[in-house]
Amino acid sequence: MTMPSLTPKQFQEHLLTWQRHHGRHDLPWQQNPSPYRVLVSEVMLQQTQVVTVIPYFERWMASFPTIEALANATEDAVMNHWQGLGYYSRARNLRKAALYIQDTWNGEFPADVNALQNIPGVGRYTAGAIAAFAFNTYGPIVDGNVKRLFCRYFGIEGVPGTSAVDKQLWSTAEAYTPTHNNRQYAQGLLDMGATLCKPKNPACDACSFTTTCKAYQTNRVSELPTPKPKKVTPTKPGHFLWLESDGKLLLEKRADDGIWGALWCLPQIYLEPEQLGEHIKLKGVFKHTFTHYKLDGKVWQIDKLGVENPQQQWMPLDQLDDVGLPKPIRTFIEKHVKTQA
């Protein structure tokens, strides 16, 4: 017979005790947790591991230390600081958020969770995180770590991400979140999910919640959360052009929406390379994996382009460090420029 789950008050006290002794206390964004620093860290941490984010966060803060500095930065400068993190709409939304806060709130963040969700790129989770970490007030959070922890501890079945399961998870979070002094509690949820209640090989033997954890008590830790049905990731071809002249390379600014939005890239073509004529040869190949498909990229060297569009620009090879490029494109360019040198 399994023991009933802890009450919200008992759960909070238990988690706070664990976090004080075993949680993380030295992450860069935990120092001076201003609303701006929390916003940047939380947006960077979406789909990205902590160890990867730390150097990006520190470099970002060195260049854009305030919301005003980010609002005044150019899009190219912002994208340059983001390259390699992926999901580039996050960087564009951060800049939009800075402009919004400057224009709407005179540079000061609102503390209310609902008002925070009006900021571009700030959803329910990020709003809760800003309220909890920056203002130390009521702010329920449900991210991947919390979903996993709650599904196991409360025995919640069904695939996270579906409306019914997410509704149950958020309802649980709202009921269990303290109304005051929420910073340490929210950090405890994230820490426990990241360091103990991991997706694989969870450290149940080191967890003090096992006596009331539904999954542990019913031997379903490996079954919860309910996994998504597996899908086959398709592979798509992609053809790009290499035009180089007088130490300059022709690049194209991609549209804001879509893959690699607002980044500079080798011009991409959507026809068979043979249709470009005889004077074309394969410069090289690269592969890259996105969330929903794998890109099989081929770069074709040609002598000239019939018509250049307004989004294209000749960039000096020695100035490419100043613009935002997709990581696989930058890697390809650096490899082939070095080879030529």
Side-chain angles (χ1 to χ4, degrees):
M1 179 177 178
T2 59
M3 292 180 64
S5 301
L6 298 174
T7 65
K9 183 70 173 176
Q10 291 171 330
F11 187 90
Q12 293 163 14
E13 292 175 350
H14 203 75
L15 184 66
L16 289 171
T17 299
W18 178 87
Q19 205 282 330
R20 274 195 298 272
H21 294 94
H22 306 290
R24 297 173 294 187
H25 301 275
D26 55 357
L27 296 172
W29 42 88
Q30 289 178 307
Q31 320 311 314
N32 179 28
S34 68
Y36 172 60
R37 288 171 65 85
V38 173
L39 170 65
V40 173
S41 66
E42 290 299 339
V43 173
M44 285 187 171
L45 286 165
Q46 294 167 9
Q47 310 289 334
T48 310
Q49 294 183 340
V50 168
V51 67
T52 301
V53 165
I54 288 175
Y56 279 91
F57 178 82
E58 292 176 336
R59 180 173 175 241
W60 183 282
M61 283 300 160
S63 297
F64 316 122
T66 63
I67 197 78
E68 182 181 12
L70 178 57
N72 292 332
T74 65
E75 185 176 69
D76 276 343
V78 171
M79 301 308 289
N80 176 267
H81 280 68
W82 198 272
Q83 60 190 10
L85 271 179
Y87 302 96
Y88 291 93
S89 61
R90 296 182 294 169
R92 296 194 299 276
N93 281 336
L94 267 177
R95 185 167 175 268
K96 290 176 184 176
L99 292 168
Y100 173 87
I101 293 165
Q102 285 289 97
D103 294 341
T104 307
W105 295 95
N106 198 28
E108 298 292 331
F109 280 73
D112 177 71
V113 171
N114 293 323
L116 286 166
Q117 289 186 63
N118 292 324
I119 299 172
V122 173
R124 196 173 180 182
Y125 166 79
T126 305
I130 295 172
F133 295 123
F135 295 106
N136 199 21
T137 188
Y138 181 77
I141 58 170
V142 177
D143 75 338
N145 285 314
V146 178
K147 287 180 180 181
R148 187 169 57 254
L149 176 62
F150 280 5
C151 282
R152 286 173 175 165
Y153 181 78
F154 295 104
I156 297 173
E157 298 184 358
V159 178
T162 59
S163 58
V165 175
D166 279 2
K167 184 177 181 180
Q168 189 174 357
L169 288 166
W170 275 104
S171 177
T172 303
E174 290 168 351
Y176 275 73
T177 297
T179 53
H180 302 286
N181 302 322
N182 188 29
R183 181 179 294 137
Q184 188 183 350
Y185 172 83
Q187 189 64 55
L189 287 179
L190 300 180
D191 290 350
M192 181 159 280
T195 63
L196 286 187
C197 202
K198 299 177 290 186
K200 296 180 180 179
N201 303 316
C204 295
D205 54 342
C207 180
S208 57
F209 282 84
T210 51
T211 56
T212 53
C213 173
K214 295 266 194 308
Y216 185 84
Q217 290 295 324
T218 57
N219 296 315
R220 290 186 298 155
V221 173
S222 61
E223 299 172 16
L224 294 175
T226 305
K228 293 180 181 179
K230 289 188 177 181
K231 294 192 297 186
V232 177
T233 305
T235 298
K236 298 181 181 180
H239 298 290
F240 301 83
L241 299 179
W242 183 285
L243 283 88
E244 184 180 350
S245 178
D246 297 327
K248 296 180 179 179
L249 191 64
L250 186 69
L251 296 180
E252 182 173 307
K253 187 75 172 285
R254 295 177 72 98
D256 285 353
D257 55 347
I259 299 301
W260 296 333
L263 290 176
W264 290 93
C265 186
L266 295 173
Q268 186 171 3
I269 57 173
Y270 300 91
L271 67 164
E272 292 303 314
E274 306 85 65
Q275 295 178 256
L276 292 173
E278 298 179 4
H279 301 291
I280 180 172
K281 65 177 182 179
L282 185 64
K283 180 77 173 179
V285 301
F286 68 91
K287 297 182 184 296
H288 186 69
T289 301
F290 294 103
T291 305
H292 302 297
Y293 71 93
K294 297 177 182 178
L295 175 65
D296 188 2
K298 292 184 179 179
V299 180
W300 302 90
Q301 183 169 352
I302 59 176
D303 298 328
K304 60 181 179 179
L305 194 62
V307 179
E308 294 180 21
N309 70 47
Q311 299 303 315
Q312 293 175 348
Q313 185 174 323
W314 289 95
M315 293 277 190
L317 290 168
D318 59 1
Q319 294 180 20
L320 294 183
D321 286 345
D322 298 330
V323 299
L325 292 166
K327 188 173 182 180
I329 297 296
R330 180 176 293 280
T331 300
F332 183 91
I333 292 174
E334 290 177 346
K335 175 184 176 183
H336 286 81
V337 169
K338 187 179 295 184
T339 300
Q340 289 176 189

